[in-house]
Amino acid sequence: MLFNSLQYLVFLPTVFLLFWIIPQRLRVPLLLVSSYVFYMSWRPIYGLLILGLTLGNFFLVPFIARSTKHKKLWVGIVVALNLITLGVFKYANFAAGTVTDCFNFFGLTVRQPHLHIILPLGISFFVFEFIHYAVEVYRGKPVVTSLPAFALFASFFPTQIAGPIKRYQDFIPQLGYPGKFKWEYLDQGMQLILMGLFKKVIIADNLALVAQAGFSHPESFSAVDLWLITYAFAFQIFFDFAGYTDIARGSAMLFGYKVPINFNLPYLAANVADFWHRWHISLSTWLRDYLFIPLGGSRGTRSQTYRNLFITMALGGLWHGAAMHFLVWGAYQGILLIAHREYGRALEAAGVAERLLKSKIYHALSVVFTFHLVCIGWVFFRADTIAAANQMVLKMLTAPAELLHFSLRQLAVLQIRDPLIFPALLLILPVLMISQPIVNWLNGKRFYQSPPWAVQVGVMVALMCLLTVFSPDTSPRFIYFQF
Amino acid sequence: MVPAKSASAAADERSLGNACRVGARSASAGAPARGPDLIEQLISSRFVFAAVAFALVCAMAATVSFARAPAWQVRDKTWAGWAVRDFLTGDERPQVVFLGSSLVLVPVATVDANFLGRRLDGSQHHRSYYFEHGIERRTGSSIRSFILALPGQMPSDAYLITDYLLDGKKTPPVLVYGVGPRDFMDNLLPSPASTDLFRCLSRFGDISGMLDRVMPDWVDRFNYRLGRCVYLYGMKEELSCRAGQALCRLLDRLLPVPPGVTPYTVAHRREILPGYQMGGLEAGEAFFRPHGKDELTFADNIAEYRKRYSTVRWDTFTTQMRFFAELLDVARQRGIHVVVVSMPITEINRSLIAGYAWDAYRNSIHVLATVKGASFLDLDGSGAFKQSDFMDTVHLHSGGGKKMLDMLADRLAADSALRPARPGKRQPEM
């Protein structure tokens, strides 16, 4: 069941109404049943997977808390069980393919076994939540004693498929709050849902056409076109995932629950480290807490820290998908983070760091430069293979030479008049780019934080009209569903 | 890479412990406000106010019929859109209308391409010149034909065409309906309402009475009902089409195609965006071409038809057969003489269909045609067609098509039902 489907348009209001009508003691069971209905509407059999993992973690993690001598062993067992499940369902085909490729590389002809494994939706997200729970209990946090509450933590339908990755200490206490309905839940929740749908259906789905054409046929486009297409993908993935997160947060808000934010104007980041503070925040904090820090974090030598950074980001890349180009994307992010640290050290050594960081021009240039570095990374993320990504990046690097004798005749996007999003890119991309600093500026203004009542109503009515008219009959799945 | 510590670190562990026993908490704390309080809060809710305002906008738009246009004016660039628009905007009443799927369209149009000696644009070519010529040659009277046979057409689509379009001034005396087994047992079709043709034709009338049959999935029915209740949603095709046209004009002014550069052709766009508007058809995109005997090749489409016939879905079969029967009823009520043509297919294709399904299909169309007063022309059982008459396992090529149209013209020339359809004057060539 997709958030932008008619099924969800029936499902969500039904659960919402039931939730606030029934006695409070039945609400967690209601949400639990609803969440399983939501999950099993895709492939009923995979309901057993999430149920099995829930029961396994619920009954095994208390052993971590109780054990005095074998805490590490127990946490190792629980984490391993979760990772093995993830590995089997997500990486088995990839591993088989990689091993086969290795054999073939050495001249041993081996046929890749075809494993009929379908990736369960959301497995990467709920497995990470289970691991977080086990590690936190290992670190001394209390265990959850209510099975329904724990089961709901993992299966809560708004965040079940693509996060945000929740923390049980934040989520589970909310289930016990005295639940009196407040109209602000409805107002805030629906605002977020409408805004999320707008981001997904109106912006991301249209930009998706550009990315699809450009990344599957880079040879048909000039270097400048390819940059425009990469910008389009950068905004597509942002609005797709940010839209999903808004809908997830809005849906949770309808029940009075808060789930963490995932984005904070990521394309205004002034460096790559800043970007990861702003992009997919729930994942980056998870990677920090449960991978980077256990690996040693920044506590060791410089080279050890860099090693830890690189491993964290490379594995973070692989988490996005079982394919080499995701691994390369992650490794690229790791290298950028290391390079950023080295650059910072060099500036400090030269004694110019403070002066430069205060300069607005330097800051603006840093934002532009970081955005372009991130965009190059997106090419590896979106391309089907590393070879295709390399081909595209190499062509994009010739853009400066192309710009020297640039004419509009070179732009293929102007020659494609249907779909209209291609020529419209030249208008839309500047608007999307400028909107980021404007929103950043507005965020500091009081009238933007709590706009007048009439403005809020007007925006909601406008969004309803736009979504009603321009929602397509079929919409592509959210990009992060595949992870 | 190291974001600020999340709020989780500061979580109140005691409240967590309590919350973990949430199942044991007492009930009823969450009852919403009642009475005047509730109404006051309801009115002050921004979302409720916005929803009411949105409903008012829809009601006002419905009152003034905002953006409503005749169904044929909607710019629907599909096979159906072009044909229906041409049919309704043409001045003349055709004497013979062809219905059916590509089994009918392909041979009829390719015969014309050979007959006229030039390629024919699929979006524009809606007459059978060869057939008209054949009738004139046999009877001395000229007639006008119109091809409403369209790719993928099912009996449910043919029924809508008959019911919504073949009426009043556009009622033809004769309807030639070519059917094949695929029309009644296509596994790849989710529901009758899922074809482009049905979507296009459903704008011309009210399909509420047949919803259960054409939309077995509740989501489709809900979507349809939503469109009937929420005016803007029901008009979204028209509105998004108009918005697209306005945006197109704006872009042509602000960002025109640079001089000396040719815009992408449909074929080129299809290469880079194969999934975009798959059912669409632009002018100049698909042509029926003349070809000699040497150029004919046989294409293997067995895999496709194996999927279509893999399991017999009796619900699809009975639904489509019911539409077929209703089509014959509607035609009879309007005085249209129907000639049901059992279209020939190859032995290879027939072998993919289960024996009992084949028998059910054959018997049903024959019995229904007879009972409903239609003529039945059994080309499939005639033994006149060999595999060499086909371009793949089901579609006749121009040679086979010529044979088919000759047999049809022979039959119609001798058929008394066609007599009122012969005004006597020859129609001008295209």
Side-chain angles (χ1 to χ4, degrees):
Chain A
M1 198 184 301
L2 297 173
F3 282 167
N4 51 334
S5 68
L6 283 175
Q7 287 97 321
Y8 196 66
L9 189 64
V10 175
F11 176 83
L12 183 65
T14 308
V15 180
F16 169 73
L17 287 175
L18 283 174
F19 182 86
W20 291 112
I21 288 169
I22 61 174
Q24 190 184 355
R25 68 190 156 83
L26 297 178
R27 287 180 185 166
V28 168
L30 170 76
L31 285 181
L32 190 57
V33 170
S34 308
S35 297
Y36 272 79
V37 168
F38 182 87
Y39 194 72
M40 292 165 74
S41 67
W42 170 62
R43 258 173 210 273
I45 190 72
Y46 279 161
L48 293 175
L49 175 72
I50 191 167
L51 178 68
L53 278 174
T54 301
L55 292 175
N57 280 282
F58 182 76
F59 289 113
L60 283 176
V61 168
F63 286 99
I64 302 171
R66 271 182 241 144
S67 175
T68 48
K69 287 183 181 171
H70 304 297
K71 263 187 189 299
K72 263 193 180 168
L73 177 68
W74 278 110
V75 78
I77 290 171
V78 175
V79 170
L81 281 176
N82 282 300
L83 287 178
I84 287 169
T85 310
L86 182 64
V88 167
F89 281 98
K90 187 164 179 173
Y91 298 105
N93 274 320
F94 174 64
T98 308
V99 170
T100 310
D101 287 347
C102 286
F103 276 118
N104 291 340
F105 182 77
F106 290 109
L108 299 165
T109 310
V110 177
R111 279 186 67 187
Q112 184 182 338
H114 189 69
L115 307 170
H116 297 277
I117 297 173
I118 297 169
L119 180 67
L121 283 178
I123 189 170
S124 310
F125 292 88
F126 55 74
V127 160
F128 269 29
E129 289 183 342
F130 287 132
I131 292 173
H132 134 76
Y133 172 59
V135 174
E136 287 303 315
V137 170
Y138 170 77
R139 287 172 180 170
K141 297 276 168 33
V143 293
V144 180
T145 53
S146 161
L147 179 59
F150 182 71
L152 183 60
F153 162 66
S155 64
F156 186 50
F157 70 84
T159 60
Q160 185 185 71
I161 307 298
I165 301 167
K166 305 185 295 299
R167 301 297 174 106
Y168 85 106
Q169 306 98 312
D170 294 335
F171 182 75
I172 288 184
Q174 297 184 55
L175 302 180
Y177 289 163
K180 189 172 178 184
F181 176 73
K182 292 178 186 167
W183 287 97
E184 68 188 52
Y185 294 159
L186 183 69
D187 292 343
Q188 290 177 11
M190 287 310 299
Q191 270 182 15
L192 280 168
I193 290 173
L194 288 171
M195 191 50 84
L197 284 171
F198 176 79
K199 288 175 181 173
K200 161 69 179 164
V201 172
I202 308 290
I203 303 178
D205 285 356
N206 280 304
L207 291 174
L209 290 169
V210 178
Q212 188 191 336
F215 280 88
S216 53
H217 292 277
E219 72 285 352
S220 298
F221 297 91
S222 67
V224 177
D225 279 318
L226 291 180
W227 273 107
L228 293 173
I229 287 162
T230 307
Y231 297 152
F233 178 68
F235 283 103
Q236 182 210 340
I237 191 169
F238 169 62
F239 282 108
D240 190 283
F241 197 18
Y244 172 87
T245 306
D246 283 352
I247 301 170
R249 292 180 62 229
S251 301
M253 178 63 76
L254 291 180
F255 305 105
Y257 301 144
K258 287 184 177 168
V259 293
I261 62 162
N262 246 352
F263 296 96
N264 179 20
L265 297 170
Y267 295 141
L268 289 185
N271 55 62
V272 182
D274 188 21
F275 174 77
W276 281 102
H277 288 160
R278 295 161 173 265
W279 178 270
H280 203 170
I281 297 166
S282 66
L283 174 69
S284 58
T285 49
W286 191 99
L287 290 173
R288 176 202 64 193
D289 292 345
Y290 306 112
L291 190 55
F292 181 67
I293 291 174
L295 280 171
S298 308
R299 294 190 297 273
T301 62
R302 192 151 50 122
S303 61
Q304 283 170 335
T305 302
Y306 290 171
R307 178 203 64 192
N308 297 339
L309 262 181
F310 184 81
I311 292 172
T312 302
M313 296 314 292
L315 289 178
L318 203 55
W319 173 89
H320 284 82
M324 278 297 175
H325 63 101
F326 285 119
L327 184 66
V328 170
W329 173 74
Y332 170 77
Q333 299 296 332
I335 291 167
L336 288 184
L337 284 168
I338 293 167
H340 166 65
R341 287 201 177 203
E342 280 297 305
Y343 177 68
R345 286 171 61 87
L347 287 184
E348 274 180 21
V352 293
E354 200 176 328
R355 205 174 59 209
L356 271 181
L357 291 175
K358 279 182 183 171
S359 158
K360 283 186 178 175
I361 294 173
Y362 178 78
H363 179 80
L365 289 174
S366 301
V367 169
V368 173
F369 185 63
T370 305
F371 176 66
H372 283 82
L373 287 178
V374 169
C375 280
I376 290 173
W378 287 139
V379 176
F380 287 94
F381 189 95
R382 176 60 176 80
D384 294 329
T385 59
I386 298 172
N390 281 337
Q391 182 199 351
M392 195 159 160
V393 169
L394 286 175
K395 194 166 180 183
M396 284 163 70
L397 292 178
T398 65
E402 204 174 88
L403 282 170
L404 285 176
H405 49 271
F406 177 73
S407 102
L408 286 176
R409 296 161 62 105
Q410 292 166 263
L411 286 182
V413 292
L414 279 183
Q415 296 163 29
I416 305 170
R417 309 307 280 194
D418 182 24
L420 285 169
I421 185 67
F422 281 88
L425 268 188
L426 296 182
L427 300 176
I428 289 170
L429 285 176
V431 170
L432 293 176
M433 287 173 179
I434 291 166
S435 71
Q436 303 288 305
I438 291 175
V439 170
N440 190 42
W441 174 76
L442 285 171
N443 272 337
K445 307 293 171 198
R446 202 170 158 197
F447 70 87
Y448 185 72
Q449 289 300 327
S450 52
W453 188 86
V455 172
Q456 291 187 44
V457 169
V459 168
M460 276 199 274
V461 173
L463 288 175
M464 286 177 192
C465 291
L466 283 171
L467 289 167
T468 304
V469 174
F470 295 108
S471 61
D473 292 332
T474 53
S475 177
R477 292 203 320 179
F478 290 91
I479 293 176
Y480 266 68
F481 270 34
Q482 65 190 294
F483 306 140
Chain B
M1 167 54 214
V2 189
K5 193 77 177 165
S6 75
S8 63
D12 181 346
E13 290 174 15
R14 272 180 303 176
S15 74
L16 173 67
N18 292 335
C20 295
R21 289 185 288 278
V22 66
R25 288 180 74 90
S26 70
S28 73
R34 305 246 183 270
D37 274 0
L38 178 70
I39 294 167
E40 196 178 305
Q41 288 171 3
L42 191 74
I43 294 168
S44 67
S45 162
R46 285 156 292 167
F47 173 70
V48 172
F49 203 88
V52 171
F54 174 68
L56 283 175
V57 168
C58 287
M60 281 164 54
T63 309
V64 299
S65 295
F66 176 67
R68 192 179 286 284
W72 59 269
Q73 274 185 7
V74 178
R75 196 187 62 157
D76 190 0
K77 290 188 176 178
T78 58
W79 286 92
W82 289 107
V84 168
R85 205 160 37 247
D86 254 18
F87 180 75
L88 292 175
T89 53
D91 295 331
E92 294 177 61
R93 183 177 78 139
Q95 280 76 47
V96 176
V97 165
F98 286 90
L99 288 184
S101 64
S102 56
L103 260 62
V104 176
L105 172 67
V106 170
V108 171
T110 48
V111 167
D112 263 11
N114 267 10
F115 180 63
L116 298 172
R118 58 188 160 87
R119 63 180 198 163
L120 303 170
D121 188 338
S123 68
Q124 312 297 324
H125 183 70
H126 300 125
R127 282 176 70 176
S128 173
Y129 288 92
Y130 181 81
F131 175 75
E132 291 173 11
H133 177 76
I135 290 289
E136 188 177 16
R137 198 155 46 84
R138 285 168 177 81
T139 65
S141 309
S142 65
I143 61 156
R144 178 72 182 244
S145 64
F146 199 96
I147 307 170
L148 279 170
L150 296 159
Q153 188 179 103
M154 304 292 285
S156 43
D157 304 318
Y159 167 77
L160 288 196
I161 291 177
T162 311
D163 194 20
Y164 295 164
L165 306 183
L166 307 186
D167 198 8
K169 288 180 184 172
K170 293 290 180 181
T171 312
V174 174
L175 180 61
V176 175
Y177 184 18
V179 294
R182 194 274 332 175
D183 302 355
F184 298 89
M185 48 183 98
D186 191 345
N187 273 314
L188 302 182
L189 188 79
S191 71
S194 59
T195 65
D196 280 331
L197 194 49
F198 196 95
R199 195 172 50 79
C200 168
L201 293 165
S202 59
R203 285 200 297 267
F204 290 83
D206 184 5
I207 59 165
S208 310
M210 55 178 100
L211 275 195
D212 288 345
R213 275 193 289 160
V214 297
M215 297 176 184
D217 188 354
W218 72 267
V219 177
D220 294 334
R221 289 198 298 277
F222 176 64
N223 189 32
Y224 177 79
R225 300 267 185 223
L226 205 60
R228 304 275 288 188
C229 298
V230 182
Y231 180 80
L232 291 181
Y233 191 65
M235 293 290 292
K236 72 177 197 169
E237 209 163 327
E238 288 85 340
L239 288 166
S240 55
C241 182
R242 284 178 183 221
Q245 286 167 343
L247 180 61
C248 189
R249 284 194 295 272
L250 179 73
L251 287 171
D252 282 345
R253 189 172 299 174
L254 293 178
L255 296 162
V257 180
V261 172
T262 316
Y264 266 41
T265 61
V266 175
H268 198 173
R269 190 204 68 205
R270 290 246 155 138
E271 274 175 31
I272 60 167
L273 272 178
Y276 177 73
Q277 288 189 352
M278 285 172 74
L281 176 72
E282 294 281 348
E285 180 182 359
F287 289 94
F288 299 103
R289 297 170 198 281
H291 47 72
K293 274 189 178 175
D294 303 342
E295 298 169 73
L296 294 173
T297 51
F298 188 82
D300 179 2
N301 58 350
I302 293 175
E304 178 197 338
Y305 275 83
R306 191 166 277 142
K307 280 186 210 159
R308 289 182 190 273
Y309 299 146
S310 61
T311 44
V312 181
R313 281 169 45 185
W314 288 109
D315 54 338
T316 302
F317 183 86
T318 48
T319 300
Q320 294 299 343
M321 207 48 89
R322 200 170 144 195
F323 276 114
F324 176 64
E326 286 175 11
L327 178 154
L328 298 174
D329 285 336
V330 170
R332 189 155 66 166
Q333 283 162 19
R334 294 186 187 163
I336 304 171
H337 182 74
V338 182
V339 180
V340 176
V341 181
S342 164
M343 293 297 291
I345 57 172
T346 60
E347 193 56 45
I348 310 167
N349 193 278
R350 194 181 308 164
S351 67
L352 302 174
I353 305 169
Y356 58 90
W358 173 255
D359 290 342
Y361 156 71
R362 290 277 302 163
N363 294 336
S364 301
I365 55 167
H366 194 183
V367 168
L368 279 173
T370 310
V371 168
K372 304 284 182 182
S375 300
F376 185 67
L377 180 57
D378 188 5
L379 294 186
D380 190 55
S382 68
F385 294 88
K386 298 184 177 63
Q387 192 172 313
S388 55
D389 291 318
F390 290 83
M391 60 198 293
D392 56 37
T393 67
V394 284
H395 296 100
L396 293 165
H397 56 55
S398 57
K402 201 169 161 208
K403 204 187 279 185
M404 175 192 98
L405 287 175
D406 284 339
M407 290 171 80
L408 185 62
D410 285 343
R411 174 68 176 266
L412 290 184
D415 197 326
S416 59
L418 192 64
R419 276 180 200 141
R422 297 174 198 146
K425 219 176 167 185
R426 179 136 173 69
Q427 305 296 320
E429 283 292 334
M430 190 170 77

